[in-house]
Amino acid sequence: MSSLLILIALSLLAFETTEYWLIVALLVLLNLVYAFPLLFNKKIREFVYLKTPVVAISWVILLLSFFWSAHGFTNTVRDLNYMDFEDHMYLGITLLCFMIAYCIPFEIRDIEDDKIHLITLPQKIGVGYTKIIGYLSAFFFFVLQLINQPIIDSNTSEIVIITVLLLLFIYLSDKIKSSYFVSFAVEGLPIIWLLLKVCC
């Protein structure tokens, strides 16, 4: 399945720009040092506290690249009248807060399966403090979204619903032992967000 998806991805990349290829190359490099001991003979995930941020940053770069590709790299990267650097940084930080909070239920689920030398957040600081990091990240995501949304409209209720669900999933992440909880409920959050976008 992975080989098939790689072939599909490469065929789609043939239609993309050089800038997009560079971003993909960066993501591939991040994934290589994450999965293989290429840095100081250790994987990135084996460095204290780096597993969750690296996963979140990879997703943020990927999501931003979709945004840039949809609007054209020529417009977004070179034309500062379209969207300046601060707007890109603001969007990136907002997405990063969401992704860190979103990763927490997966970190807590994997605490029993992760080897002790990986030193994940729950292993290092405990489930309770890991949840607090998740709650704070979700809170900052919500605040940043509200700051960027000065007018109350359907988008505001959408962000409220997503934030509440995110907080609920973090809270329940060590209470519901079923493997289907994270695999279906938590992983389904982006689909719920998409449905809210379409319906609202």
Side-chain angles (χ1 to χ4, degrees), residues 108-163:
I108 293 173
R109 177 197 64 183
D110 295 340
I111 189 170
E112 294 179 1
D113 297 322
D114 281 334
K115 295 177 181 176
I116 194 67
H117 71 274
L118 293 179
I119 320 177
T120 61
L121 279 175
Q123 288 175 341
K124 188 68 177 176
I125 63 176
V127 170
Y129 286 113
T130 301
K131 283 186 174 186
I132 290 172
I133 290 174
Y135 295 144
L136 289 174
S137 298
F139 172 76
F140 285 125
F141 161 74
F142 180 73
V143 170
L144 289 170
Q145 284 283 11
L146 285 188
I147 291 172
N148 198 38
Q149 186 78 24
I151 299 173
I152 304 297
D153 59 11
S154 60
N155 189 54
T156 306
S157 58
E158 165 196 322
I159 297 304
V160 170
I161 292 169
I162 291 301
T163 305

Side-chain angles (χ1 to χ4, degrees), residues 109 168-169 171-182 185:
R109 177 197 64 183
L168 183 64
F169 288 155
Y171 173 74
L172 295 174
S173 56
D174 66 329
K175 300 183 183 303
I176 298 179
K177 300 301 181 182
S178 171
S179 58
Y180 295 106
F181 171 67
V182 173

Side-chain angles (χ1 to χ4, degrees), residues 20 22 34 36 50 65 68 111 119 122 127 146 152 164 166 176 189 195-196:
Y20 201 88
L22 289 172
Y34 177 84
F36 299 100
L50 282 187
S65 71
W68 292 332
I111 189 170
I119 320 177
V127 170
L146 285 188
I152 304 297
V164 169
L166 189 55
I176 298 179
L189 186 59
L195 291 175
L196 288 172

Side-chain angles (χ1 to χ4, degrees), residues 21-39:
W21 272 91
L22 289 172
I23 288 175
V24 170
L26 173 63
L27 288 171
V28 169
L29 180 62
L30 267 176
N31 279 277
L32 282 175
V33 295
Y34 177 84
F36 299 100
L38 304 177
L39 197 63

